[in-house]
Amino acid sequence: DGGITQSPKYLFRKEGQNVTLSCEQNLNHDAMYWYRQDPGQGLRLIYYSQIVNDFQKGDIAEGYSVSREKKESFPLTVTSAQKNPTAFYLCASSKDRALSGNTIYFGEGSWLTVV
Amino acid sequence: EDKVVQSPLSLVVHEGDTVTLNCSYEVTNFRSLLWYKQEKKAPTFLFMLTSSGIEKKSGRLSSILDKKELFSILNITATQTGDSAIYLCALSGGGSEKLVFGKGTKLTVNP
């Protein structure tokens, strides 16, 4: 079945450690996105990528890094520089960059807790 | 800066009630407005609106866009407990290839 797969679903991290969240899609979508969701904050954009080997910072990129070496993969690294990393992370993709006639599809999310 | 404001932020109703969720926006170059339902994990797509005054309908849910007054509403009639969720409004526009989301409306439907 086509879709977006995020892993792990739940992750605990000690302060000071980096952690990488995986996002894979087999929808042949060009654009991929990472959002962070906190209670009462809606979805905030961390990074997005419109094409392989290219990505752009979103609204809250500090303390995060990404790569887009393959079309189907867009991993997110939460670094120790991110001060409040505990959150729900959603990966998404869309067919084309313009979002003009397409919707965005979401993965099931990853819960990251810093202990 | 593109902006999406949803209201109310939280709403509690009884089964059978009708609810109206609001989404107002500011954008420099509007392309589309989208509604999503989020229960526990991934938001699921409900509607995409691009033209003013044309109602989109799916079962008990409907939505309409007013591009002059810069808002959209999502109506749910005869609510059921399964409608309990966070409803997200998102905006595409401003020459940017990304969506801007509102904070969401948390709807709770009690039996």
Side-chain angles (χ1 to χ4, degrees):
Chain A
D1 288 344
I4 302 173
T5 302
Q6 287 186 239
S7 63
K9 287 187 169 43
Y10 300 94
L11 185 62
F12 294 88
R13 187 197 92 175
K14 289 185 181 178
E15 274 194 42
Q17 289 181 339
N18 291 356
V19 64
T20 297
L21 307 180
S22 169
C23 178
E24 304 278 329
Q25 54 99 359
N26 59 5
L27 300 166
N28 200 33
H29 283 176
D30 285 321
M32 296 187 74
Y33 310 81
W34 273 104
Y35 285 90
R36 170 181 171 142
Q37 189 173 29
D38 297 280
Q41 291 294 321
L43 271 63
R44 292 184 291 168
L45 183 65
I46 306 172
Y47 268 98
Y48 62 107
S49 168
Q50 298 162 351
I51 198 167
V52 174
N53 292 323
D54 184 49
F55 48 83
Q56 308 293 329
K57 289 183 179 180
D59 302 315
I60 54 165
E62 186 176 347
Y64 299 98
S65 66
V66 293
S67 63
R68 187 87 187 273
E69 295 175 4
K70 299 184 294 182
K71 187 176 185 178
E72 58 270 22
S73 179
F74 191 41
L76 173 75
T77 296
V78 185
T79 74
S80 56
Q82 170 49 234
K83 298 303 176 193
N84 296 295
T86 295
F88 184 55
Y89 291 88
L90 279 164
C91 179
S93 71
S94 64
K95 187 178 179 188
D96 65 49
R97 299 182 287 170
L99 291 172
S100 57
N102 296 279
T103 59
I104 187 170
Y105 296 87
F106 290 89
E108 292 288 296
S110 294
W111 286 97
L112 172 63
T113 302
V114 174
V115 296
Chain B
E1 184 181 324
D2 298 345
K3 192 174 167 183
V4 177
V5 178
Q6 291 187 247
S7 64
L9 292 180
S10 180
L11 188 57
V12 180
V13 300
H14 291 290
E15 263 191 319
D17 288 351
T18 293
V19 297
T20 298
L21 310 182
N22 302 293
C23 176
S24 65
Y25 63 89
E26 295 174 18
V27 67
T28 51
N29 185 22
F30 177 89
R31 274 208 290 269
S32 62
L33 186 144
L34 298 97
W35 283 97
Y36 289 86
K37 177 183 181 182
Q38 184 181 27
E39 293 180 79
K40 288 202 188 301
K41 295 180 180 176
T44 53
F45 172 73
L46 294 175
F47 299 112
M48 182 169 76
L49 304 160
T50 55
S51 301
S52 248
I54 298 175
E55 186 183 47
K56 294 274 182 107
K57 200 167 169 64
S58 176
R60 296 174 296 102
L61 276 66
S62 63
S63 184
I64 197 160
L65 175 69
D66 186 328
K67 289 167 78 172
K68 184 179 174 187
E69 300 297 330
L70 306 182
F71 76 91
S72 173
I73 59 171
L74 175 68
N75 276 323
I76 308 175
T77 58
T79 51
Q80 302 171 357
T81 54
D83 294 327
S84 295
I86 296 173
Y87 290 85
L88 297 164
C89 175
L91 185 68
S92 167
S96 171
E97 293 88 358
K98 58 181 181 176
L99 287 178
V100 176
F101 282 83
K103 292 186 176 182
T105 293
K106 183 178 179 181
L107 174 66
T108 303
V109 182
N110 290 324

